[in-house]
Amino acid sequence: MEVYTALRHFADSWGLLGMTLFFLGVVMFTLRPGAKSHANEAAQIPLKED
């Protein structure tokens, strides 16, 4: 039971911090300047004829 308690304590503290930082990184990546043009290009890929 000690390993479970240690892992649970780690997940409650550092795991939450890690997930929060990851989420903020994804949001910042999505909202960065110039992202709209890249997103529009990616959205048109299925419609392009080779």
Side-chain angles (χ1 to χ4, degrees), residues 15-31:
L16 179 60
L17 178 64
M19 287 187 290
T20 302
L21 291 175
F22 178 76
F23 175 76
L24 290 175
V26 168
V27 169
M28 295 290 287
F29 180 77
T30 304
L31 299 177

Side-chain angles (χ1 to χ4, degrees), residues 3-41:
V3 174
Y4 171 77
T5 306
L7 289 175
R8 182 175 174 192
H9 176 66
F10 176 77
D12 285 345
S13 58
W14 293 105
L16 179 60
L17 178 64
M19 287 187 290
T20 302
L21 291 175
F22 178 76
F23 175 76
L24 290 175
V26 168
V27 169
M28 295 290 287
F29 180 77
T30 304
L31 299 177
R32 74 189 190 282
K36 186 172 184 176
S37 64
H38 292 292
N40 287 338
E41 287 178 25

